[in-house]
Amino acid sequence: MAHRPYIVGNWKMNGSRTMLAEARAIDRAALRYPEVQIALAPPFPFVGLLREAVNAIGIGGQDCHTAAKGAHTGDVSAAMLADIGADFVILGHSERRRDHHESDSLIRAKADAALAAGLGIIVCVGETLDERDAGQAEAVVSAQVDGSLPLGDAALEAAQAYKLAVAYEPVWAIGTGRVAAVEDVVAMHAAVRERLAAAYGDAGAKVRILYGGSVNAENAAGLLAAQGVGGALVGGASLTADAFLPIVAAAGQGEG
């Protein structure tokens, strides 16, 4: 695939104004890795601040509402994110699915809203340990892909495929220090690619599939070199430049 590897840091509910220094350090270092697409997704209060602080990397949100505006206290619309300079939004992360009871259909509606606002999207999918142990991992993830991906006519899908990424994050590996075996990652990414092809035809080949789940400097090279892995969605290791940049470097070394 011709895409650059996509390395995205998800700060989750972490951050402060002092962390602008970390974002700036990552941004400066990005100039050394033009072969890698790099982005950060901070909490909502810091999206605009990071956008003003950096130049070379993308900045995104961690969620958005389905509506462009309205009586939705505490929510943020995709249009608002775009207005303050966000490039993309993460949708359907397992923590949102679990803590906020988000369904596939809700995530799909958010994806449609984000694309309509001009944002790129990263749609997250992944199975629990119980589902994997029961032999249901591929079925669960495939159903999440089918139910969560944006819809539209074929022309729209082909034109916007480059703005869509899918992040496979086994729920049992997020924040636990456990990492899926490379052969399992390859198998799951192949299953996701099959569903993308079913949904979008040839345009499905343009969609990058990222791996997430305790990605760090030690395991990044092996994961990013695996067949079908187009990048990484990084959690805790994205909070500092010292932890995040080795992952970016691993992506650069693996390119081509």
Side-chain angles (χ1 to χ4, degrees):
M1 295 177 65
H3 282 306
R4 293 184 293 165
Y6 193 18
I7 307 298
V8 182
N10 176 15
W11 283 7
K12 304 189 179 185
M13 199 174 71
N14 298 290
S16 66
R17 292 178 66 92
T18 63
M19 287 178 64
L20 290 174
E22 300 293 342
R24 291 190 182 102
I26 293 168
D27 189 59
R28 290 193 299 271
L31 299 176
R32 303 200 302 269
Y33 303 101
E35 70 278 16
V36 182
Q37 184 177 354
I38 305 166
L40 295 174
F44 290 134
F46 305 116
V47 172
L49 292 174
L50 260 66
R51 180 70 285 163
E52 294 176 356
V54 304
N55 298 297
I57 65 175
I59 299 297
Q62 298 176 12
D63 184 48
C64 71
H65 198 275
T66 59
K69 60 181 180 180
H72 306 289
T73 301
D75 284 310
V76 174
S77 74
M80 291 173 181
L81 287 173
D83 189 49
I84 60 173
D87 306 297
F88 69 96
V89 63
I90 298 170
L91 300 170
H93 192 281
S94 64
E95 292 157 3
R96 298 287 313 178
R97 291 177 184 265
R98 179 194 66 211
D99 297 344
H100 299 272
H101 310 290
E102 294 192 355
S103 65
D104 291 339
S105 60
L106 175 62
I107 294 160
R108 170 178 282 167
K110 292 182 176 187
D112 288 335
L115 288 175
L119 296 176
I121 56 176
I122 300 173
V123 176
C124 300
V125 297
E127 81 283 3
T128 66
L129 185 58
D130 286 346
E131 289 165 341
R132 172 160 285 277
D133 288 345
Q136 300 173 343
E138 288 192 19
V140 167
V141 169
S142 293
Q144 288 177 344
V145 173
D146 290 347
S148 304
L149 288 175
L151 296 175
D153 60 54
L156 177 66
E157 290 160 0
Q160 293 189 325
Y162 76 97
K163 301 190 75 171
L164 166 64
V166 174
Y168 166 59
E169 295 194 307
V171 177
W172 47 270
I174 298 173
T176 64
R178 298 180 60 181
V179 181
V182 171
E183 57 267 29
D184 291 331
V185 173
V186 171
M188 295 302 293
H189 279 230
V192 172
R193 181 66 64 196
E194 181 179 332
R195 301 320 306 156
L196 289 169
Y200 301 121
D202 292 343
K206 300 178 182 179
V207 178
R208 282 173 293 192
I209 307 173
L210 317 181
Y211 175 77
S214 297
V215 178
N216 56 44
E218 288 69 40
N219 59 40
L223 290 166
L224 292 167
Q227 183 177 358
V229 177
L233 183 58
V234 184
S238 69
L239 296 175
T240 67
D242 285 347
F244 190 56
L245 290 174
I247 300 171
V248 173
Q253 292 167 4
E255 173 67 357

